[in-house]
Amino acid sequence: MRLTGKERILLYLLEASRLDEGIEVPPQLTQEGVAWGTTLDRRHLPQYIHPLLREGLVRERRAHVRGIRQRRKVYGLTQSGKLAALHLRNRVLAETITIRKGGAIRDVKLSDLVKNSAGAPSLLGLVRATLRGSPVDIDEVFEASRSGLADFSHEAPPVERFVGREEELRRILDDLEATPIVVVTGVAGIGKSALGAMVCNGLRGKRSLFWRRIRTWDTAMDLAMRLAGFLRAQGRTVLYGYLSASGPKELGRIEELLLADLAQARSVLVFDDVHTANDDAIRFMSLLCQVLTLQKASCGLFLSRTVPSFYSRRDVEVERSVAEVPLAGLDSKDVQTLLRDAGLPASLVPTLSALSGGSPLFLKVLSRAKVREDVKASWRTVETYIAEEIESGLSNTEQRCLQVASLYELPVPAEGILLGAKRGIGVLVGLEKKGLLDRIGADRFVLHDFLRTYFQNGLTSTQRRKLVHQVVPWLLDEAEGILKKGLPSEANPFVYWPHLIDYEHREVIQKAISLVENAIILDTVPGRRAFSYDRLARLRYAIGDISGGNEADRTALRFATDDASRIRIHKRLADHSQDPEEAERHIEAGLELLPNGPSLDAGELLVLRAELAISKDNFEKAWEEVDLVASWRPGLPANHVLFGYLSLVTGALLIQDERHRDLPIAEAELRKALKILGAAKETYDIAWVYLNLAEATLLMGRPEDALTHLDQLLAAIHAAADPHAQAVVLCLKGRCLSEWLGEYQAAERHYLEAETLAGLFELPWKSYIRALLASVYEHEARYPEARESLASFLREYRFAESTFREARVTGLAWMARLCLLCHDVEAAEEYLREAVAAGPKKGSAAAMGAVAWAEGMLLSRRGDVAHADARFQIALKHLEPPGSICAYAHAPALDRSLRSKGHLLLDYGRFLASIGEPARADEILGQARETFRAYGMKAMEREGAQVHESLAPQRERRFAP
């Protein structure tokens, strides 16, 4: 079941019509609200709204929107629109869908599902669920339709007792309702985190809550991924989809997608210890603040010792987008109340109140201590009190535990602090009772950052060196233990090399990253630091943080103490570098460290160089590297993973290099690769093997086998929860079903499923799927639908800058042909003029051929036979045979595979037959059939045969005696 954009808007506004009352309306009726509710791109919403406005079905007005100062455009249904929407709703309710509930699968009418299920989601929500595939997991859909609140505030410190600060708490809560950004500043121990935790307590159950304590090592990607997981828990998956996809990530794109997710999210985002943020984290928070100011549904609370640098005084005083709340000490009345309630002698309360300075941290320590009657006036600070009163009463084990705890920047389990101490957990419980150690959750402990600084500064260099020598190995072992416990072995970056990992596994890896980063900050041993950076790089690559992994590898290279480590890092940088020239430099650097002659390391570097050469279409260079490594095979281990990579690259070369194409040998090489890489559990490279096997079997005329390989690929990608890759493979399956098997309805279903995924996760090439659908509709002679789909593609597709003009020319020329098939000559002429004007002076062969093809059809329609024939012949010189499906492995782009030379030959053959030249038509159509046969495209070969056979009566009449 599929609804158009206009139908989704009608259904959404019908369901939201109860909100369209009075002068003030909710955000659901703004452009952003309608776009989010219908899963349409906000930028493209006008193209769907404007026709509805012209038809009198939707009305637009300016109104006051709750939570937004300025009046905004809002939308509602007219009386005619409500009637149209009700008719649409009745039609949709009559549809039957297949659902899975528990373990049972059954068919049910949507009307029964909505009527008989308590707490059912909206009808539009159910329709969207059907587009993700059948059967629909109805329990999952119902769960997603509930309140949508998510609570990720587990990092917030527990607040046992809250005295004072009621005025500040009220002010912050009020500011969060009226201002997108609230910043609380104050010295260490003044109560910022406790106040933030109380804000969360006051909003829990009303708004979604996110808490992140900034660590010195947090990168922009770390923070973006944490936030994406939080938004995903609310059913907002745009940012998560982008970050889950393979490849480098851009902060500019993150900003755009974060805005789409935060719209209507009603979330409060709390960031603690903002003063510790590095430059990369500051860049992310600056971006986040810009996003928060562009919408009114969500807000941010930033807790910092100093005023952050990511906003200006103008934001505070002129724009009023930032509210500042500086914290001072508690007033004397609140201090005395707290001390009396703690059971301290009444005679001491006034003195202690004066000495505390209103510091909540000092008061916490005082309230749990046994203060003697002879209070010293020298206790003017927490430091002097700890030095003179607390430390002197601590046992050696307690002092050591606090010193160890001061080296951790994140909560750790008891064994991390005890490190073999004999007295066990009792020591930590005692320190907790004294207010010196905080418990987080059931089994983790952390030292307040002020106390952490105090005890770290008290360490001698010898003490620090000895403790670091114990703490660093514990942190690294704990990271490895977390990975072994939390991940299946095939997803462990310290064991195998995963490139696609689901969200839950990402959470595990991010915990390990924090532990390794903490170890790196403390460590001073160069060799061990290199080892830690090596681990950190692998972890960051595993969660898709390519730039973070590159940076860790470059640092590891500086600390590396042996050539073996340097070679390993050069290989990894060559494999993951976002710059081909940098990758080439690392390959050269790695080879220079190796002796001449055969070796596994040299072989892997040469195979990487061959891959680079293939990406540049330098097949001669690729063959040179592949042949050299192959000649080393007899002297190296036969089943080493190197030869799996070699077989994969060799197979790809035998497919892509048309001068040396040998498909049976390519298939054999790929099966070797599958055997070796499968045994090594190299998940990412196995996916590439399946893709190339699909390509080889397609070109050999075995589309059924190709579909099997694509299903194997899809299963691996689905398990890894990469929506980008899933959508790509669905498109590949659609092309296989359409161009090779002629199963157009099945192809359309796959394309629509891919389009749904692309829309849900805001994949940048989602509009390309409209071009794929246009191809299917053209094959089925559904020319108006083909024209509409291709028009949508041309409006929305973000052409790469380097190929924008030529790709657009090709699409416009195709559009002109579709207009002619719809008998709209005037529109065809306009599109053809636009194609000619858009083309560069020296266009590519594909662009020139596409224009000549369209011109031939237009001239034929005008009756200018001679010139039409000439244009068709020019097109034949420029267009190429069908292309490779591997072109779509990363991001689909318009290329020759959609409307190739074979399709042109069919049109030319029809033209020749129409002008009474059956002999030439017979020859051209024979070429078309041979072209499709050579590429195993059975469906297109059948189509050519049908056209050929339709000319038989003409040939008989032509040659009758």
Side-chain angles (χ1 to χ4, degrees), residues 343-526:
L344 289 171
S347 59
L348 292 179
V349 167
T351 304
L352 292 174
S353 174
L355 293 176
S356 72
S359 166
L361 177 62
F362 197 178
L363 291 168
K364 176 183 174 183
V365 176
L366 284 172
S367 66
R368 295 185 181 185
K370 295 179 180 179
V371 183
R372 300 190 308 273
E373 293 288 340
D374 55 337
V375 176
K376 296 181 180 178
S378 61
W379 295 349
R380 296 294 180 184
T381 63
V382 181
E383 290 99 325
T384 56
Y385 178 75
I386 293 172
E388 296 180 18
E389 295 297 318
I390 298 295
E391 280 196 284
S392 61
L394 295 175
S395 68
N396 290 337
T397 302
E398 287 176 322
Q399 285 198 36
R400 184 178 183 278
C401 284
L402 289 172
Q403 290 168 348
V404 170
S406 73
L407 299 177
Y408 294 120
E409 296 201 22
L410 67 166
V412 296
E415 56 267 25
I417 297 175
L418 294 168
L419 292 178
K422 295 179 180 178
R423 290 178 59 189
I425 191 71
V427 179
L428 304 188
V429 172
L431 290 171
E432 183 187 4
K433 288 179 178 178
K434 293 176 182 178
L436 297 174
L437 201 60
D438 291 327
R439 186 190 295 261
I440 304 296
D443 61 347
R444 291 184 175 264
F445 297 87
V446 69
L447 207 56
H448 187 283
D449 57 350
F450 174 82
L451 294 174
R452 187 169 66 246
T453 302
Y454 173 85
F455 283 103
Q456 266 203 48
N457 290 342
L459 292 172
T460 66
S461 58
T462 302
Q463 287 175 317
R464 182 183 175 87
R465 187 169 58 252
K466 286 181 179 179
L467 290 178
V468 165
H469 187 66
Q470 290 181 287
V471 167
V472 168
W474 183 88
L475 284 164
L476 297 176
D477 289 345
E478 180 72 1
E480 190 160 1
I482 283 175
L483 292 167
K484 286 180 179 178
K485 184 178 179 181
L487 300 180
S489 60
E490 64 271 14
N492 188 332
F494 291 172
V495 181
Y496 300 113
W497 193 257
H499 287 242
L500 303 171
I501 297 176
D502 64 23
Y503 174 71
E504 288 72 21
H505 292 162
R506 274 193 178 86
E507 281 286 288
V508 173
I509 292 175
Q510 283 176 321
K511 289 178 183 176
I513 285 174
S514 293
L515 291 161
V516 174
E517 291 272 22
N518 199 157
I520 287 171
I521 288 172
L522 297 171
D523 211 353
T524 56
V525 180

Side-chain angles (χ1 to χ4, degrees), residues 826-838:
E826 185 178 344
E829 291 173 338
E830 180 58 34
Y831 277 112
L832 193 51
R833 279 194 294 271
E834 192 177 347
V836 172

Side-chain angles (χ1 to χ4, degrees), residues 190-263:
I190 205 67
K192 300 181 297 295
S193 300
L195 186 57
M198 290 303 296
V199 169
C200 289
N201 290 345
L203 295 173
R204 191 164 286 112
K206 302 172 186 176
R207 300 183 70 166
S208 291
L209 301 172
F210 173 85
W211 184 292
R212 175 65 177 173
R213 178 178 158 241
I214 302 296
R215 276 91 174 184
T216 55
W217 56 77
D218 278 339
T219 65
M221 278 294 292
D222 288 332
L223 299 176
M225 285 179 176
R226 296 277 181 181
L227 203 47
F230 165 69
L231 291 165
R232 178 176 180 257
Q234 300 173 69
R236 292 169 173 81
T237 54
V238 172
L239 179 62
Y240 172 76
Y242 175 69
L243 296 179
S244 297
S246 53
K249 307 296 182 289
E250 299 175 2
L251 274 182
R253 183 69 175 145
I254 289 174
E255 179 179 0
E256 178 186 340
L257 303 182
L258 186 55
L259 178 60
D261 267 344
L262 280 175

